[in-house]
């Protein structure tokens, strides 16, 4: 089985890394192409994959083809490769905002098996969260293969396409919000006298551990919050300030802004 990548940016590298770590296919069975010779050379050297001359060559040889280019370049790339893709190829998109219907029309082949995904940047450290939806041509064994690949760098979940834009907001864009939160907490620790490097470590580990508590205990986040807030204690004072600053409403507004932008892509 040949797994191809058109686009070799961070997300493609995260997927390639997961594939190799889990030994889904060997490095010489992974094909790639990118816009610049520098990128192709760098990824080939780092992962040992086979780099081909252009996008059409990758499309023609791939059994599973990842379209890992930015949404703005999607139409021209689809036009370039559509005549080269085999009917049997499983096409997997990682582009935000590009629907299954959009990809079907762009590739111009009603028989193609198309999977739309929305991964996120924590995939770079094997902790990604990916939403997945499929078109009617995708069979059960195709889904099984896709989920095996997409689970190699984190968690992957099948969702109806109507929720894919929400996936993009709640897991695709939200790491940026979390990084801002970590930075802000670290700034507060620095203001309290802690060295900045140590402040980032404490703040990041606190976020990591809190997330694991949600996932591994199954408890409601509100219940876990209450467990930290002792009566008359320090934490509830901080919670009060965050409520006065409309933390929840601001985050929800940010999510809404992401959703609105996604619909315009």
């Amino acid at each position: 089985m040949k797994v191809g990548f058109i686009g070799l940016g961070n997300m493609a590298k995260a997927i390639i890394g997961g594939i190799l770590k889990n030994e889904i296919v060997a490095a010489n069975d992974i094909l790639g192409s990118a816009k610049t010779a520098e990128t192709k050379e760098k990824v080939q050297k780092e992962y040992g994959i086979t780099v081909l001359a252009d996008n059409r060559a990758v499309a023609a040889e791939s059994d599973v083809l990842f379209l890992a280019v930015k949404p703005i370049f999607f139409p021209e790339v689809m036009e370039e490769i559509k005549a080269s893709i085999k009917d049997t190829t499983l096409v997997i998109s990682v582009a935000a905002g590009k629907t299954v219907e959009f990809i079907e029309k762009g590739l111009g082949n009603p028989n193609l098996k198309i999977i739309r995904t929305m991964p996120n940047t924590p995939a770079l450290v094997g902790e990604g969260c990916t939403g997945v939806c499929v078109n009617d041509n995708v069979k059960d064994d195709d889904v099984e293969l896709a989920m095996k690949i997409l689970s190699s760098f984190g968690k992957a979940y099948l969702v109806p396409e109507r929720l894919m834009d929400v996936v993009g907001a709640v897991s695709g864009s939200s790491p940026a919000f979390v990084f801002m939160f970590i930075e802000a907490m670290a700034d507060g620790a620095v203001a309290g006298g802690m060295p900045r490097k140590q402040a980032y470590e404490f703040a990041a580990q606190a976020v990591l551990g809190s997330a694991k508590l949600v996932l591994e205990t199954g408890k409601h986040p509100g219940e876990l919050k209450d467990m930290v807030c002792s009566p008359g204690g320090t934490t509830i004072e901080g919670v009060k300030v965050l409520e006065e600053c409309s933390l929840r409403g601001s985050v929800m507004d940010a999510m809404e802004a992401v959703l609105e932008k996604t619909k315009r892509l």
Side-chain angles (χ1 to χ4, degrees), residues 181 185 210 222 224-243:
F181 184 56
M185 287 198 298
S210 301
L224 292 170
K225 180 263 295 178
D226 289 347
M227 288 167 57
V228 189
C229 295
S230 302
T234 57
T235 305
I236 193 65
E237 291 297 317
V239 168
K240 178 175 177 288
V241 171
L242 292 177
E243 293 287 13

Side-chain angles (χ1 to χ4, degrees), residues 15-33:
I15 300 170
I16 292 169
I19 289 172
L20 294 177
K21 181 179 179 180
N22 290 272
E23 300 181 342
I24 296 172
V25 298
N28 59 8
D29 287 322
I30 299 177
L31 316 173
S33 62

Side-chain angles (χ1 to χ4, degrees), residues 3 21 23 35 39 46 59 75 85 87 96 100-101 108 129 152 163 171-172 197 204-205 218-219 226 257 265:
V3 181
K21 181 179 179 180
E23 300 181 342
K35 199 168 186 178
T39 298
E46 183 175 357
I85 303 175
D87 281 357
V100 167
E101 182 182 9
C129 186
S152 71
L163 293 180
S171 68
K197 182 176 185 299
Q205 182 61 39
K219 293 182 182 293
D226 289 347
L265 288 177

Side-chain angles (χ1 to χ4, degrees), residues 20-87:
L20 294 177
K21 181 179 179 180
N22 290 272
E23 300 181 342
I24 296 172
V25 298
N28 59 8
D29 287 322
I30 299 177
L31 316 173
S33 62
K35 199 168 186 178
T36 68
E38 180 183 5
T39 298
K40 288 190 283 189
E41 182 179 350
K42 182 178 179 180
V43 175
Q44 195 281 328
K45 184 177 181 180
E46 183 175 357
Y47 295 98
I49 69 171
T50 301
V51 173
L52 300 183
D54 56 41
N55 296 338
R56 288 184 293 271
V58 174
E61 294 192 29
S62 297
D63 301 301
V64 178
L65 178 63
F66 279 88
L67 303 181
V69 299
K70 295 185 184 300
I72 192 172
F73 301 124
F74 225 70
E76 64 184 83
V77 169
M78 289 194 296
E79 182 64 29
E80 177 187 10
I81 67 172
K82 64 182 184 181
S84 303
I85 303 175
K86 299 175 291 189
D87 281 357

